[in-house]
Amino acid sequence: DIVMTQSPDSLAVSLGERATINCKSSQNILYRSDNRNYFAWYQQRAGQPPKLLIHWASTRESGVPDRFSGSGSGTDFTLTISSLQAEDVAVYYCQQYYSFPITFGQGTKLEIK
Amino acid sequence: QLQLQESGPGLVKPSETLSLTCTVSGGSISSSHFYWAWIRQPPGKGLEWIGSIPYSGSTYYNSSLKSRVTISVDTSENQFSLKLSSVTAADSSVYYCARQVITGISRGYFDFWGQGILVTVSS
């Protein structure tokens, strides 16, 4: 199984500041024949289901604010929120869809400092 | 707008079978571009993929649960279902159904989710 490890486990950032969450996969999830990383980010606000933010490592889902961006390739990935808003308080999860079983990171809790 | 809604009992006794249904509205379950998935989340913990099924009926299960899981699809009702047998307290979770976007050989990401249903295993 591919293990997804996020860092940090929790993060407190001031409003308007940048937040950065990292995710590392135990195996390469870049598929060379199409040069795509089979990787996604989700946001889960309290009491809500997860919401897809980014897929293919850097493609923002329709309707997701452009302050959210994804980067990285191979085994190391980053979610950046360029200017933290109050509504961004949530737990963020990464996910690989390179192989079964589909696996998620353990989550990173983002709070306001 | 696509919507998914989980339904089923919120309380199951230990050793019994958990049975849930996901009803899809606002779109057809019969598309080759999507699988239909179950994911669970113990209270206060992370996400665990349980398994997925395309409308054609072949299934993919998490090996950690494979011996106890059955996922099926009913295209006439636009629904898919989960059965998890021999449950214990460790199976107490919020269970989500979700649409899984399939492109090429990718195993898929989840673009639409139900609201989730809390299932507690207790006598």
Side-chain angles (χ1 to χ4, degrees):
Chain A
D1 298 3
I2 297 176
V3 177
M4 307 299 286
T5 304
Q6 293 181 228
S7 61
D9 289 332
S10 63
L11 181 63
V13 174
S14 300
L15 289 172
E17 295 299 305
R18 179 186 299 261
T20 301
I21 298 169
N22 300 299
C23 182
K24 189 175 185 67
S25 62
S26 62
Q27 299 174 34
N28 179 33
I29 55 176
L30 170 66
Y31 188 53
R32 296 205 181 277
S33 69
D34 62 9
N35 200 36
R36 285 180 164 183
N37 289 280
Y38 287 23
F39 180 88
W41 286 104
Y42 298 85
Q43 175 194 65
Q44 187 177 32
R45 296 184 176 120
Q48 296 295 312
K51 173 188 174 183
L52 176 66
L53 295 177
I54 286 168
H55 57 276
W56 302 123
S58 61
T59 301
R60 249 189 324 272
E61 185 72 353
S62 175
V64 173
D66 61 7
R67 64 179 180 274
F68 291 90
S69 63
S71 61
S73 185
T75 60
D76 293 280
F77 301 89
T78 300
L79 175 69
T80 301
I81 307 172
S82 60
S83 176
L84 190 71
Q85 306 298 304
E87 61 264 32
D88 301 335
V89 168
V91 179
Y92 292 83
Y93 293 94
C94 59
Q95 177 225 334
Q96 67 80 20
Y97 48 99
Y98 185 87
S99 66
F100 286 134
I102 289 168
T103 49
F104 295 87
Q106 80 277 17
T108 295
K109 186 175 185 179
L110 177 59
E111 299 173 313
I112 305 294
K113 186 186 291 184
Chain B
Q1 176 81 341
L2 191 78
Q3 292 187 347
L4 295 88
Q5 180 68 57
E6 305 90 350
S7 59
L11 181 64
V12 181
K13 290 183 168 54
S15 79
E16 295 190 345
T17 295
L18 177 160
S19 295
L20 297 174
T21 296
C22 182
T23 300
V24 179
S25 58
S28 174
I29 205 169
S30 300
S31 170
S32 60
H33 299 295
F34 307 113
Y35 290 175
W36 304 92
W38 289 98
I39 297 155
R40 70 180 183 178
Q41 184 173 38
K45 297 191 176 181
L47 300 164
E48 180 182 31
W49 172 73
I50 298 170
S52 302
I53 188 167
Y55 80 96
S56 59
S58 53
T59 51
Y60 305 89
Y61 298 141
N62 194 325
S63 56
S64 66
L65 298 167
K66 186 173 183 176
S67 62
R68 299 194 290 130
V69 172
T70 303
I71 296 175
S72 59
V73 64
D74 185 341
T75 54
S76 65
E77 296 290 337
N78 229 36
Q79 295 176 334
F80 61 106
S81 299
L82 169 70
K83 292 187 186 300
L84 182 65
S85 64
S86 305
V87 298
T88 70
D91 294 309
S92 296
S93 290
V94 174
Y95 285 77
Y96 294 102
C97 60
R99 188 177 80 170
Q100 187 173 346
V101 180
I102 300 300
T103 305
I105 66 110
S106 90
R107 301 311 188 183
Y109 52 88
F110 307 103
D111 65 342
F112 283 94
W113 296 65
Q115 283 299 116
I117 183 169
L118 175 62
V119 179
T120 302
V121 178
S122 175
S123 55

